[in-house]
Amino acid sequence: MSERALRGTRLVVTSYETDRGIDLAPRQAVEYACQNGHRFEMPFSVEAEIPPEWECKVCGAPSLLVDGDGPEEKKGKPARTHWDMLMERRTREELEEVLAERLAVLRSGTMNIAVHPRDTNRKSA
């Protein structure tokens, strides 16, 4: 019975494949240096596009490519204000019209104020 027992193995821990008979892709070692003075090499395929920035293996800080161009600056979008978003939806003439309507309602004193049902049950002080 013990001859037929299966041996247990841990999942994803041990690979039974070997590198024999396999031609690996040509590689190149690329050196990076971080602001904290750590230098390390990363292997890349010869055909791969080399990123100008990589995370440091030691401290996790951004590392720049040694003897390479720095990362290109990304264009940031200017912050959109409430006024900008409002002007996307309405013209200045429409806003003047809405303002005139609301001012007329305020000056007339006949504003319809919604009262919450919970507030009608309270006794006035």
Side-chain angles (χ1 to χ4, degrees):
M1 184 84 169
S2 64
E3 295 173 71
R4 298 177 123 181
L6 295 174
R7 293 177 110 184
T9 59
R10 291 176 279 170
L11 294 175
V12 190
V13 175
T14 307
S15 173
Y16 296 111
E17 295 182 13
T18 63
D19 291 340
R20 280 185 263 147
I22 297 174
D23 294 329
L24 299 176
R27 298 177 186 197
Q28 62 180 332
V30 179
E31 189 175 12
Y32 288 92
C34 80
Q35 60 205 15
N36 298 328
H38 304 123
R39 293 178 82 94
F40 59 94
E41 287 187 349
M42 291 297 300
F44 286 96
S45 170
V46 174
E47 301 168 357
E49 183 178 329
I50 307 300
E53 190 174 331
W54 198 266
E55 184 177 307
C56 178
K57 293 169 102 177
V58 179
C59 64
S63 302
L64 297 177
L65 186 62
V66 174
D67 299 331
D69 297 333
E72 41 183 80
E73 294 292 323
K74 295 181 180 177
K75 279 190 171 181
K77 289 184 177 180
R80 284 179 45 198
T81 63
H82 178 72
W83 179 254
D84 294 333
M85 290 184 268
L86 183 64
M87 292 307 290
E88 288 174 4
R89 294 190 310 267
R90 300 195 184 247
T91 64
R92 201 165 189 85
E93 292 77 28
E94 291 174 329
L95 291 173
E96 293 286 339
E97 187 178 318
V98 170
L99 177 63
E101 289 173 9
R102 296 311 298 163
L103 285 174
V105 169
L106 282 173
R107 289 182 181 134
S108 70
T110 59
M111 260 180 40
N112 294 334
I113 299 174
V115 177
H116 194 275
R118 194 174 20 174
D119 294 336
T120 58
N121 296 337
R122 291 186 187 165
K123 295 180 181 176
S124 57

